[in-house]
Amino acid sequence: MDTVTFKAKGISVSVDTAVGHIADLTIESGGRTLKPLHRAPWIDEPRDTLPQGLPDGVARLSGDFLCAPFSRSDVEDAPLHGWPANSPWDLTESAAIAGGWRATFHLQRPVMGAVVEKILTLRDGHPFLYQEHAFVGGAGAISVAHHPMTVMREGGHLAFSPKRAAVTDGDPPEPDPARGRSLLAYPARREGLHDFPGKDGMAVDLADYRMDRRHEDFVTLIEADHDGPGWAAVSRTAEKDVVMILKNAAELPVTMLWISNGGRDYAPWNGRHRGVIGIEDGRTAVGHAASLGDNWLKREGIVTAFELGPDRRVAFRHVIGALPAETGRAVRDVSAAADQLRLTTGEGAVLDAPYDAAFLRIGRII
């Protein structure tokens, strides 16, 4: 694997430059080593043992990556999730900055005629990876999403910033019972997470990630109106930590949950991809053409693509990190001050971490 690693005090990140995926994120905090991101179990297997025609982004599935477009590439010819998730990136700059380290990568291929930049920043003592992606130039419009994934040995609890609705749209990810199975009803909608319709008529608590059932599901969460950052918190029971993902909802208005818990029986999944959840913040519908055309999100007032232009630099930002948490209980609230992120659990415990609250540009006109 072609990787580039860089570090700041208490944190390091490795990038698989062949596909632009975050191959590893390691955080030293509270006397512990935290590894919040997932790595597919087949990455180290010989490529000729994997299914022929498998996209490189699936063969090397790890951590987080840029999807552009998200899902189907049916406007420009490209693999699933586009060339940013499936083709090489060049490291163009890597240097110390005041209180940290910054690395810049450029995708070797254009997307809709645009140059694609990836700028990763680490800050001393901050348990977070700060990311910016940008499209310079180009024409037309592009849908985008981040694709961070975490994994739990014994399940955990999910919590989110206020959402307007949770929705399953269209068909389940695995409609053929010979290949896999889903747990949720499709289509379905609820305002909350705790009583989502299951396909058998029973309510499913989307905030409770359980290991005693095998399924593959996909849920879209629409951000509600609020003044703070969009956030997701995964309290991992066995790992005794909280994985944090933060966004500016004005840039990335939807959060898509890919629940992958042993629900695919075919290669390379083979029922072994368990305890995984992708928390995929995006500006997208499912597929490039759907994002540009009429879709159910647009009918709810949600923008599903960025407009490109020859004299434009279109950028969006995202944050991933983790904090140690001995209780493993769900997070109730997240608040950001100028230099601190505060998590409050359902039990009233408070977790504080150094944080650059200005990075996400909340409330600013981008």
Side-chain angles (χ1 to χ4, degrees), residues 19 28 37 41 100 235 240 360:
V19 287
E28 305 292 337
L37 297 181
S235 300
K240 297 186 183 302
L360 288 178

Side-chain angles (χ1 to χ4, degrees), residues 51 83 93 101 108 118 149 168 191 201 210-211 234 252 291 295 298 312 315 328 336 340-341 346 357 363:
W83 291 118
E93 185 176 1
W101 196 274
Q108 291 183 5
K118 181 190 299 285
M149 300 164 287
T168 54
E191 291 184 1
R210 292 167 46 180
M211 297 300 293
V234 182
L252 305 173
S291 298
N295 61 68
K298 279 187 178 179
R312 300 187 69 188
Q340 178 180 270
L341 192 73

Side-chain angles (χ1 to χ4, degrees), residues 25-207:
L25 177 62
T26 299
I27 298 164
E28 305 292 337
S29 181
R32 295 177 52 202
T33 299
L34 310 180
K35 287 185 171 289
L37 297 181
H38 170 60
R39 189 170 183 267
W42 54 81
I43 284 181
D44 296 324
E45 297 174 2
R47 183 60 190 263
D48 60 8
T49 66
L50 301 179
Q52 188 173 7
L54 192 70
D56 287 346
V58 177
R60 303 170 81 110
L61 182 70
S62 63
D64 179 35
F65 52 89
L66 172 64
C67 306
F70 179 79
S71 187
R72 295 183 297 274
S73 298
D74 46 10
V75 174
E76 279 192 323
D77 184 37
L80 179 73
H81 294 319
W83 291 118
N86 291 276
S87 64
W89 293 71
D90 292 324
L91 176 65
T92 54
E93 185 176 1
S94 183
I97 59 173
W101 196 274
R102 179 169 294 143
T104 301
F105 301 80
H106 285 86
L107 185 67
Q108 291 183 5
R109 291 174 174 266
V111 174
M112 299 294 288
V115 173
V116 186
E117 300 176 344
K118 181 190 299 285
I119 303 170
L120 306 182
T121 302
L122 301 177
R123 299 196 178 279
D124 292 340
H126 290 215
F128 300 106
L129 167 63
Y130 300 93
Q131 299 190 69
E132 177 176 291
H133 285 94
F135 295 82
V136 182
I142 186 68
S143 60
V144 303
H146 274 268
H147 202 292
M149 300 164 287
T150 191
V151 61
M152 295 162 270
R153 294 194 306 274
E154 298 177 6
H157 304 278
L158 312 180
F160 301 91
S161 53
K163 306 300 181 189
R164 187 196 313 172
V167 180
T168 54
D169 183 58
D171 297 323
E174 296 299 335
D176 183 353
R179 292 170 57 84
R181 67 211 59 83
S182 294
L183 179 68
L184 304 179
Y186 293 78
R189 181 184 182 113
R190 284 290 186 272
E191 291 184 1
L193 300 177
H194 299 293
D195 62 345
F196 201 86
K199 67 177 183 180
D200 59 1
M202 299 291 289
V204 176
D205 186 353
L206 296 177

